[in-house]
Amino acid sequence: MTANRLGYCALAFTLLLLLTCRCALQAQVRPPVKTQIVLLGTGTPLPDPERSGPATAIVVNGTPYLVDFGTGIVRRAAAARNKGVTGLEPTNLKIGFITHLHSDHTLGFPDVLLTPWIMGRKEPLEVYGPAGTRDMAEHILKAYATDVKTRTEGLEHSNKTGYEVNVHEIKPGVVYKGQNVTVKAFSVDHGNLEAYGYRFETPNRTVVISGDTRPAPAILENCQGCDVLIHEVYTEASFALVSDEWKKYRLAYHTSSKRLAEIASKAKPGLLILYHRANPGCDQARTNDCRDAGSEEQLLKEMHQYYKGNVVAGHDLEIY
Ligand SMILES: [Zn+2]
Ligand SMILES: [Zn+2]
């Protein structure tokens, strides 16, 4: 064998070795499945500048699944992207699940339908929700017909597909199954509204979200040791301050700290995240007593009194 041929052989062998090593290395460093919960809005109908309307993103391997479209949803998604959750790039917002049709949970519907499209999303929005969601979507498109016409036919040259919406009106059961996640809807008890909670099963986490509900057995049945339970709540101290009429409303529509503690003690989530903390109308009453009774401090005090598990009060743009 000549020296030249020997040199080629050595080179080929080295290259082969390098390739083999690289493949092995790639297999080792393949990123693990990642499920992030991003709180986009933890508020209520109250126009609190610190708390956008109810909206949560479950981001699995970079794909976001939205729950509810509260006010400010797309701007909060952009803020989360700026914090490093690249999956929440607004043009990536393509799938959403609505818990019920109260306005605080749907005021961001036109935003999530139109803003990502204006930014370049080409795919229609896929929306899962109760009966009436299709009507709402059709009316939103009618309301914005002038905008859609101008943007698609005028000099903005927007695409003709990304403003469309495919609505799936759901019943309890598995409503979505994809590579990243299986989503199950279950009925909750929110006055006389058709309302759902959702259970997300990803390859590495199970997340249950209540939407709005009075204490509902379905939460217990669907969590059962889930990794994270995200649940709405009001304080007992604020309940004591509201009128008899509003007491009736709260009992029929929402869940107190004490009742949530009972549910969570049985459901045993790895982490309980509190959101949609009801306000006792303090903007109208304007008294410190009222504000204190419904405050986050009071809420956590009550929760710790009744519940021994891991619990946090959620804030906008927190990532779990
Ligand atoms: Zn609500
Ligand atoms: Zn509601």
Side-chain angles (χ1 to χ4, degrees), residues 142-223:
K142 273 187 199 146
Y144 286 91
T146 301
D147 177 80
V148 170
K149 188 174 160 57
T150 311
R151 289 184 194 277
T152 50
E153 294 176 8
L155 293 174
E156 282 131 324
H157 302 296
S158 294
N159 70 67
K160 292 195 165 85
T161 47
Y163 65 83
E164 289 176 343
V165 50
N166 295 323
V167 174
H168 311 263
E169 291 190 343
I170 60 172
K171 294 281 169 218
V174 172
V175 294
Y176 180 89
K177 213 172 168 59
Q179 197 184 346
N180 289 317
V181 66
T182 298
V183 185
K184 181 185 168 196
F186 55 89
S187 293
V188 292
D189 306 318
H190 189 44
N192 55 2
L193 276 98
E194 182 184 347
Y196 294 99
Y198 290 101
R199 175 184 162 99
F200 285 74
E201 289 172 23
T202 81
N204 69 331
R205 274 174 119 185
T206 302
V207 180
V208 173
I209 183 160
S210 68
D212 287 5
T213 184
R214 66 176 177 259
I219 299 289
L220 179 57
E221 288 155 23
N222 283 279
C223 174

Side-chain angles (χ1 to χ4, degrees), residues 113-114 134-148:
L113 179 56
L114 299 173
R134 184 167 293 114
D135 261 7
M136 184 177 271
E138 283 169 7
H139 284 99
I140 289 168
L141 281 173
K142 273 187 199 146
Y144 286 91
T146 301
D147 177 80
V148 170

